[in-house]
C-alpha cells in the first residue's frame, strides 16, 4: 500500500469519525486536519510498523466462526463459545457476521460405524468394507428444513419410498451416506486453512443417467454450493462455468478474487470444459489477472478453495482429476418440469414454502450457523474426502465416456445369448457400425477407442472383459486380448463374463488326456 493511499485513508477515517460523533464535530477541527502536516504522506510514512498482529483465524487444528456477540472456536472435539473481547486475534470487520449467534445442542451426529471399528481392530483393510457401512448417522432435528433439504437431495430411492415400499438396509445406508458426504464437504468449504495433501475441489453433480446432452438441473446443487456464503459466514467469488471453456475467458477466470476470498464458485460447468485446467490452482498458487490491472500471485495457503457444480458428467476423467475432485451427488428428488415425460416441477420452495436461508427467521439462521459449525467439526474429525456412493457418480461418468449412441447399441446387442462366450471382435464392430449412416461409417474405426468403450461398458454392467484365465500368451495377457486361430488365421475375440459366472472362473483346466477319455466334456 503506497503512502498516498495511507494518507487518504487516515484523513477519511478521522473526518468520518467526527461526522459520526456529533459531540466532537467542529468545522474548524476538520479544516485543521486537512491542513495538518501530520496527515500528509511524509509524516504518515514514519508510522511504526507492527508485525505482531495475529490475523490468522484458522490453523491445522481449529477455525473460528466470528459473530458480533461471540466467537466459536471449532475443533475436531466440538464447538467452544467465547465472548469476542476474549479472543486473542485481530479480526477484520468484514469477517464478523452481523448476527447474535447462540450455540445449540448438535443437530446431528456422525461416527464411524461398529463394522468399521471392527475392521480397524482386526487390522483388516477398511476399503474392503462397503462405503455405505463405514459411518453411522443420527439426526436430532429432522424437522429443520435445511437438514430435510440436504437429506432429500440424496434420496436416490425416493420413488420406491413414494410407492410405499420398504427400503433395504443398504438402500437406507446409501441415503445416509449422501447426506454425510454433503455435510463433511460443507465442513471442508467452511474450513479456511489449506493443506497441500488435502487440496480438493468440491464438484456437485447429478446422479441420474439421463441423455448426455440433456440439461437437467433443478436438483438443488446451486442452493447447496451457496450455503456458506448466503448468511455472510464466508466470502464467495462467483464465476460463470458456462464460459470456463472459452479461451478468451480463461485468462481472467479469477480476476475478481482477492486475498479475502474464501472460495470461488464456478457455477454450471459446461459439458465441454476440461477440468484439468484447474488442477494447478486447486493444489498450487493462483494467478490473479484482471483486465487493465497488473497481475499478481496468491500463494497456495492464501488462495481460495474451488467449488463447482454441473449438470453433466466430467470430461476426460482420469486419475489426476479423481485425486483432486470431491464428488457430491444430487438425485432428482427435486426436479425441473419435463412435459415430454409428464414430469411436473418440484422445488425446495414448493416443499418448505420459503427460500432456504434468504427467508429464514433469526432462529432458523442460528440453526444454520450451528449446522455449519457441526459440519466443520466433522471435517476436522475425519479429515478425509468422503464422497457420495461412488457407483452413482461413477456410472454417470462412464455413460459420458461411452456416449449415448454406443451405450444404447451395447444394451441392445449384448443380450444373454452373447454373454459368457467368445464372439469375433470384427463381428461385434460390424454390428455397431450399422448404427451409423454410410457417410459417418468411414470415420468410425475398429481401434483402441472402440475397445476402450467395450471395457467401460463391462465395468458399467459389473462384468469382466476378456478374463485372464481365458488368455494363453503373455503378450496377450498384457493387452487383455483373446486371440485364437479361426478359419486358418489368427482372430481376435471378445468375451464378457457376467458376475454370476465368476465363481466358475477359478476351476482349473482338465488335462487333455482326461478330456479325451470323457468326450461329452
Amino acid at each position: 500500500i503506497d503512502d498516498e493511499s495511507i494518507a487518504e485513508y487516515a484523513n477519511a477515517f478521522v473526518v468520518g469519525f467526527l461526522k459520526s460523533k456529533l459531540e466532537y464535530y467542529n468545522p474548524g477541527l476538520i479544516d485543521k486536519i486537512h491542513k495538518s502536516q501530520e496527515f500528509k504522506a511524509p509524516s504518515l510514512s514514519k508510522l511504526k510498523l507492527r508485525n505482531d498482529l495475529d490475523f490468522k483465524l484458522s490453523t491445522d487444528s481449529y477455525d473460528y466462526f466470528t459473530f458480533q456477540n461471540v466467537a466459536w472456536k471449532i475443533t475436531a472435539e466440538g464447538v467452544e463459545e467465547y465472548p469476542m473481547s476474549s479472543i486473542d486475534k485481530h479480526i477484520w470487520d468484514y469477517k464478523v457476521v452481523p448476527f447474535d449467534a447462540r450455540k445449540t445442542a448438535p443437530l446431528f451426529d456422525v461416527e464411524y460405524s461398529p463394522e468399521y471399528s471392527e475392521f480397524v481392530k482386526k487390522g483388516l483393510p477398511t476399503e474392503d468394507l462397503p462405503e455405505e457401512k463405514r459411518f453411522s448417522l443420527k439426526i436430532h432435528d429432522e424437522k429443520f428444513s435445511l437438514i430435510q433439504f440436504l437429506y432429500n437431495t440424496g434420496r436416490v430411492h425416493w420413488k420406491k419410498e413414494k410407492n410405499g415400499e420398504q427400503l433395504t438396509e443398504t438402500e437406507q445406508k446409501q441415503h445416509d451416506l449422501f447426506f454425510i458426504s454433503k455435510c463433511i464437504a460443507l465442513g471442508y468449504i467452511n474450513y479456511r486453512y489449506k493443506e497441500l495433501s488435502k487440496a480438493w475441489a468440491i464438484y456437485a453433480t447429478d446422479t441420474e443417467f439421463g441423455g448426455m446432452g440433456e440439461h437437467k438441473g433443478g436438483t438443488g446443487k446451486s442452493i447447496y454450493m451457496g450455503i456458506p456464503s448466503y448468511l455472510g459466514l464466508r466470502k464467495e467469488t462467483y464465476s460463470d462455468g458456462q464460459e470456463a471453456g472459452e479461451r478468451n475467458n480463461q485468462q481472467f477466470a479469477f480476476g475478481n478474487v482477492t486475498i479475502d476470498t474464501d472460495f470461488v464458485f464456478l457455477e454450471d460447468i459446461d459439458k465441454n470444459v476440461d477440468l484439468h485446467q484447474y488442477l494447478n490452482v486447486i493444489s498450487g498458487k493462483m494467478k490473479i489477472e484482471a483486465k487493465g490491472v497488473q497481475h499478481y500471485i496468491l500463494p497456495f495457503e492464501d488462495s481460495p478453495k474451488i467449488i463447482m457444480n454441473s449438470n453433466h458428467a466430467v470430461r476426460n476423467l482420469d486419475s489426476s482429476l479423481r485425486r483432486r475432485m470431491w464428488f457430491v451427488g444430487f438425485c432428482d428428488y427435486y426436479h425441473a418440469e419435463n412435459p415430454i415425460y409428464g414430469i411436473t416441477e418440484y422445488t425446495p420452495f414448493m416443499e418448505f414454502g420459503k427460500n432456504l436461508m434468504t427467508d429464514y427467521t433469526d432462529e432458523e439462521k442460528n440453526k444454520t450457523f450451528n449446522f455449519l459449525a457441526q459440519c466443520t467439526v466433522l471435517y476436522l474429525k475425519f479429515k478425509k474426502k468422503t464422497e457420495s456412493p461412488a457407483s452413482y457418480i461413477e456410472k454417470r461418468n462412464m455413460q459420458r465416456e461411452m456416449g449415448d449412441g454406443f451405450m444404447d447399441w451395447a444394451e441392445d446387442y449384448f443380450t444373454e445369448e452373447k454373454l459368457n462366450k467368445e464372439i469375433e471382435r470384427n463381428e461385434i464392430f460390424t454390428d455397431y457400425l450399422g448404427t451409423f449412416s454410410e457417410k459417418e461409417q468411414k470415420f468410425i474405426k475398429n481401434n483402441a477407442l472402440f475397445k476402450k468403450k467395450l471395457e467401460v461398458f463391462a465395468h458399467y454392467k459389473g462384468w469382466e472383459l476378456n478374463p485372464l484365465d481365458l488368455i494363453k500368451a503373455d503378450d496377450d495377457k498384457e493387452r487383455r486380448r483373446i486371440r485364437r486361430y479361426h478359419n486358418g488365421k489368427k482372430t481376435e475375440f471378445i468375451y464378457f463374463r457376467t458376475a454370476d459366472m465368476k465363481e466358475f472362473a477359478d476351476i482349473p483346466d482338465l488335462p487333455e488326456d482326461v478330456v479325451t477319455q470323457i468326450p461329452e466334456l
Side-chain angles (χ1 to χ4, degrees), residues 40 49 74 80 82 101 105 108 115 165 168 224 242 253-254 263 272 280 310 316 331 358 375 383 400 476:
K40 296 295 187 293
L49 178 67
I74 302 170
E80 300 173 29
Y82 299 95
F108 68 101
E115 295 97 323
E165 299 179 53
T168 66
Y224 170 79
Q242 290 288 309
F254 305 108
F263 62 91
N272 296 315
N280 287 339
S310 179
N316 299 331
C331 72
T358 55
C375 289
K383 280 242 181 152
R400 167 163 190 145
D476 283 340

Side-chain angles (χ1 to χ4, degrees), residues 290-310:
K291 295 180 180 179
V293 180
Q294 178 69 33
H295 79 269
Y296 63 97
I297 304 295
L298 279 179
F300 169 76
E301 60 272 17
D302 292 327
S303 63
K305 293 179 178 178
I306 305 293
I307 68 174
M308 56 187 77
N309 67 12
S310 179

Side-chain angles (χ1 to χ4, degrees), residues 155 157-165 167 172 175:
R155 287 170 61 186
H157 306 292
W158 68 272
K159 294 174 185 175
K160 184 176 179 179
E161 290 180 300
K162 189 176 180 181
N163 292 332
E165 299 179 53
L167 296 185
Q172 186 62 59
H175 285 187

Side-chain angles (χ1 to χ4, degrees), residues 104-119:
T104 67
L107 303 174
F108 68 101
D109 286 315
V110 176
E111 300 289 347
Y112 278 123
S113 67
E115 295 97 323
Y116 183 92
S117 299
E118 190 66 21
F119 262 61

Side-chain angles (χ1 to χ4, degrees), residues 108 137 147 150-151 175-183 371:
F108 68 101
L137 168 69
I147 287 180
L150 290 174
Y151 198 90
H175 285 187
D176 289 351
L177 182 56
F178 272 105
F179 177 80
I180 292 168
S181 70
K182 289 184 177 75
C183 291
F371 173 78

Side-chain angles (χ1 to χ4, degrees), residues 510-521:
L510 293 175
E512 288 187 10
D513 58 336
V514 175
V515 175
T516 57
Q517 294 174 33
I518 314 176
E520 60 266 32
L521 288 180

Side-chain angles (χ1 to χ4, degrees), residues 214-264:
E214 190 177 349
H215 202 272
K216 300 184 70 161
T219 56
K221 299 186 298 297
S222 293
I223 296 176
Y224 170 79
M225 301 308 255
I227 291 175
S229 64
Y230 276 131
L231 302 181
L233 184 65
R234 294 292 183 256
K235 185 177 180 182
E236 165 197 299
T237 293
Y238 176 88
S239 184
D240 187 349
Q242 290 288 309
E243 299 177 351
E246 299 177 18
R247 186 175 300 275
N248 292 336
N249 292 312
Q250 290 177 10
Q251 182 181 0
F252 306 111
F254 305 108
N256 294 326
V257 170
T258 70
I259 196 170
D260 306 318
T261 301
D262 293 311
F263 62 91
V264 176

